[in-house]
Amino acid sequence: MLHWHLTPTLATSQGMSEFDFLSGIDDVPPTPILIAPQPVLREVAREVRPEDIAFIRNQLPGMFSAMYKAPGIGLAAPQVGLGMRFALVDVAEEDAPREPMLLINPEIVTDSEQMAAREEGCLSLPNQYAEVVRPESIRVRYRNLAGETIERDASGLLATCIQHEMDHLDGILFVDHLSTLKRNMIMRRLAKEQKLGRR
């Protein structure tokens, strides 16, 4: 039975037992990633419920495979057509051991007044990049597969990635943080490249 009302605990990493399947992830077919302007990418995802966990567990191998093979450092459920509030993150260097995170029903508890600009891209907007300004550091609260509530401090690239993926859960794309002119330029370029068959 899942316990959804545990007292939050501060954690620096998740137990790897949740991700034992990653040892054979290279052989798992990747889940197809939706490309903007797919409507589901603009929908607000619903909260994950305890009865969803078995389904999510079954989706994780294909989703992690898709993220790693893209390659990317984050993937939210709406990007694969699932309107639920969970996302994957792994900002480990390419040749370093993987550091997978699964964030279920994430929420930002606090964020810093200090802002940072970082170039962002998105697996649902392939080959498109732009500088986005976000809080430099955050504390995020989320649940893991066991239903435990975890709080984690994040800064730099990890903080940016978590905020980017959480935006997806609210139907927000990174281009929404840009000026209308820049956003329209990127979306037109994406449409043109997709029409030409570039991925």
Side-chain angles (χ1 to χ4, degrees):
M1 179 176 178
L2 290 171
H3 303 285
W4 288 89
H5 304 290
L6 299 179
T7 302
T9 56
L10 187 62
T12 55
S13 63
Q14 280 187 264
M16 285 302 296
S17 59
E18 291 186 347
F19 306 111
D20 287 341
F21 60 83
L22 289 181
S23 60
I25 200 67
D26 293 335
D27 297 323
V28 175
T31 303
I33 297 173
L34 301 180
I35 306 300
Q38 286 284 342
V40 69
L41 296 173
R42 289 303 192 176
E43 296 173 2
V44 177
R46 70 165 176 81
E47 287 208 350
V48 171
R49 299 183 287 261
E51 58 267 28
D52 297 319
I53 296 301
F55 173 79
I56 291 173
R57 192 185 299 272
N58 288 335
Q59 300 303 308
L60 290 180
M63 289 181 65
F64 271 109
S65 176
M67 182 180 75
Y68 288 132
K69 290 176 181 177
I73 59 174
L75 184 67
Q79 292 180 271
V80 295
L82 304 177
M84 291 187 281
R85 301 188 75 82
F86 73 94
L88 318 180
V89 170
D90 190 341
V91 299
E93 295 289 336
E94 186 174 349
D95 297 327
R98 286 171 172 156
E99 299 177 0
M101 291 178 62
L102 167 65
L103 296 87
I104 297 174
N105 295 337
E107 56 182 316
I108 293 177
V109 180
T110 59
D111 56 26
S112 65
E113 293 184 5
Q114 182 180 354
M115 308 295 282
R118 190 180 300 273
E119 186 178 69
E120 295 188 25
C122 180
L123 299 182
S124 291
L125 288 85
N127 309 310
Q128 312 306 315
Y129 303 93
E131 192 173 82
V132 177
V133 177
R134 301 182 187 271
E136 164 65 21
S137 60
I138 60 171
R139 172 169 285 198
V140 61
R141 179 186 297 140
Y142 58 95
R143 296 185 187 276
N144 62 15
L145 284 173
E148 299 168 327
T149 301
I150 296 171
E151 286 192 7
R152 177 169 182 164
D153 293 316
S155 60
L157 179 60
L158 179 58
T160 294
C161 186
I162 290 173
Q163 292 174 83
H164 177 114
E165 299 311 323
M166 287 181 64
D167 272 355
H168 277 298
L169 306 182
D170 291 320
I172 298 170
L173 302 176
F174 81 90
V175 292
D176 297 331
H177 295 280
L178 309 177
S179 68
T180 301
L181 177 62
K182 288 183 179 179
R183 180 171 63 251
N184 289 343
M185 286 177 59
I186 288 176
M187 296 308 292
R188 282 196 299 268
R189 186 166 62 235
L190 174 64
K192 182 178 179 180
E193 291 183 2
Q194 290 298 300
K195 188 175 181 180
L196 294 173
R198 179 181 175 190
R199 289 295 300 274

